Amino acid sequence: MGYRVVVAGATGNVGREMLNILAEREFPIDDIAVLASRRSLGTEVSFGDRTLKTQDLATFDFTGWDMALFAVGSGPTKEFAPKAAAAGCVVIDNSSLYRYDPDVPLIVPECNAEAIHGYSKKNIIANPNCSTAQMVVALKPLHDRAKIKRVVVSTYQSVSGAGKEGMDELWDQTKAIYNPTDDVKVKKFQKQIAFNVIPHIDVFMEDGSTKEEWKMVAETKKIVDPSIKVTATCVRVPVFVGHAEAVNVEFEDFLDEDEARDILREAPGCMVIDKREDGGYVTPIECVGDFATFISRIRQDSTVENGLNIWVVSDNLRKGAALNAVQIAEVLGRECLKKG
């Protein structure tokens, strides 16, 4: 027996990637429904070797469906996720709406799969922010060994994190720069993104940090350990897909860089590529389409007592969103629903 699975937001970047990954990983599915907003109704999407036609999220009946992967943003999620959950369909939500709800587990399966059992309080499970997901995959095995005190992270986040509009804007601006008759229009981002970097993702908060930076702090604490201190600077860069992060970690106990390298090589979801030579590291363009979180540039930080620097790269549409959601579905099925 397999599962009856819904993908809501199936026409977006993340929704399409969810369908690709469900097919690639051969998730046990008996029946699948793909949902979209009314304006995208009837759009066809691919699922393995099948073509599926989208149905209307607003009128869909979730009764009898086992799980729904939501990739529709906080507004529609707020309206429709409780309806799905009340109908007995477990929601795996990719928006930020439920991440900080104490009654909703926030899951990265390599880090805290055991928290999945808390789903029954609301029939909802939260998927973390893309920048948090890849970072905690790298941090958790190191934390288990030497206990992390403090993390300082600077992100280099691709435009796909802002959806199709963000990718289109980078493409259009780049073309316009090479064609002087065109205007370089700024719509999705706060400033020109082509050939530029923007230290501003999401809205500003009272303390001067952005919501994206706050998310990394709050989510790392919820997923790994509430005692970890985190400070983040999140930057949008002119890369289409793939987030990179420079992460400085301070531990309570000394952790040698060679031992850290060995730990990360064995850790689930991690791929260490760390040669001290030209090109001996991973960049965003090389991680696109891959499941792994890649770790490079592992080295001691001599400016603090027990410090390490690492470089973390991952496909944000995969591990940062769609892959993590499918992995949650796999854990939910294996540990809780037990049908597939």
Side-chain angles (χ1 to χ4, degrees):
M1 287 179 65
Y3 296 95
R4 302 189 75 214
V5 177
V6 177
V7 176
T11 60
N13 287 344
V14 174
R16 289 178 188 271
E17 204 63 41
M18 286 174 171
L19 289 166
N20 290 338
I21 293 169
L22 285 166
E24 285 175 29
R25 292 172 75 92
E26 298 181 344
F27 188 82
I29 290 176
D30 273 357
D31 195 6
I32 187 163
V34 289
L35 311 183
S37 63
R38 200 154 287 164
R39 69 175 182 274
S40 300
L41 199 59
T43 301
E44 293 185 341
V45 294
S46 297
F47 174 62
D49 57 1
R50 295 165 58 189
T51 299
L52 307 175
K53 192 168 286 190
T54 56
Q55 302 177 55
D56 188 358
L57 172 61
T59 59
F60 187 78
D61 183 1
F62 288 90
T63 305
W65 294 85
D66 295 303
M67 57 182 80
L69 281 61
F70 268 56
V72 293
S74 294
T77 296
K78 187 174 183 179
E79 182 176 358
F80 299 112
K83 293 179 180 178
C89 179
V90 183
V91 173
I92 300 169
D93 176 34
N94 195 60
S95 81
S96 62
L97 185 65
Y98 292 104
R99 289 175 187 159
Y100 318 107
D101 186 326
D103 290 333
V104 174
L106 178 67
I107 302 289
V108 174
E110 295 91 340
C111 301
N112 64 336
E114 69 284 350
I116 196 85
H117 296 281
Y119 85 92
S120 57
K121 292 179 182 176
K122 287 193 173 179
N123 246 19
I124 297 171
I125 303 164
N127 209 24
N129 188 40
C130 49
S131 49
T132 305
Q134 67 186 64
M135 184 174 76
V136 297
V137 168
L139 292 183
K140 180 60 164 63
L142 301 178
H143 180 67
D144 288 345
R145 160 62 181 82
K147 193 160 191 197
I148 295 170
K149 286 171 60 177
R150 181 171 183 256
V151 174
V152 181
V153 55
S154 297
T155 71
Y156 306 76
Q157 294 179 226
S158 66
V159 294
S160 57
K164 183 179 181 298
E165 290 177 339
M167 298 177 79
D168 288 346
E169 186 151 319
L170 174 57
W171 177 250
D172 291 340
Q173 286 182 1
T174 303
K175 288 190 297 182
I177 286 167
Y178 283 106
N179 182 4
T181 62
D182 292 345
D183 291 330
V184 181
K185 294 178 181 176
V186 174
K187 295 178 183 176
K188 182 67 177 177
F189 300 112
Q190 303 84 2
K191 297 197 177 192
Q192 176 185 314
I193 185 60
F195 302 95
N196 198 16
V197 297
I198 304 172
H200 178 190
I201 301 176
D202 213 321
V203 297
F204 274 100
M205 304 181 75
E206 285 187 11
D207 67 353
S209 59
T210 64
K211 186 98 179 269
E212 184 82 0
E213 292 156 356
W214 175 84
K215 289 173 189 175
M216 293 194 75
V217 175
E219 293 173 21
T220 301
K221 288 175 175 289
K222 185 171 180 179
I223 295 166
V224 182
D225 189 330
S227 69
I228 296 175
K229 295 178 179 178
V230 182
T231 183
T233 301
C234 293
V235 183
R236 190 73 73 189
V237 298
V239 170
F240 283 107
V241 178
H243 287 357
E245 298 167 347
V247 188
N248 177 265
V249 191
E250 186 179 353
F251 299 91
E252 288 192 3
D253 302 316
F254 178 74
L255 179 59
D256 177 77
E257 62 186 40
D258 291 327
E259 185 182 356
R261 200 173 286 109
D262 290 340
I263 289 169
L264 290 167
R265 280 198 180 106
E266 298 298 320
C270 293
M271 177 72 71
V272 174
I273 303 209
D274 188 21
K275 297 178 181 178
R276 294 178 175 177
E277 59 187 45
D278 292 352
Y281 41 80
V282 172
T283 58
I285 203 166
E286 297 161 289
C287 77
V288 175
D290 207 297
F291 289 144
T293 295
F294 292 91
I295 303 163
S296 309
R297 304 293 318 281
I298 303 165
R299 62 203 189 279
Q300 228 74 51
D301 174 11
S302 60
T303 67
V304 293
E305 194 169 344
N306 299 313
L308 281 178
N309 289 301
I310 59 175
W311 173 252
V312 182
V313 179
S314 192
D315 182 331
N316 56 294
L317 297 179
R318 291 206 151 206
K319 186 55 191 170
L323 170 62
N324 201 74
V326 174
Q327 287 177 302
I328 290 171
E330 291 170 346
V331 175
L332 177 69
R334 186 168 62 247
E335 298 291 327
C336 305
L337 303 185
K338 299 182 179 179
K339 279 177 65 177

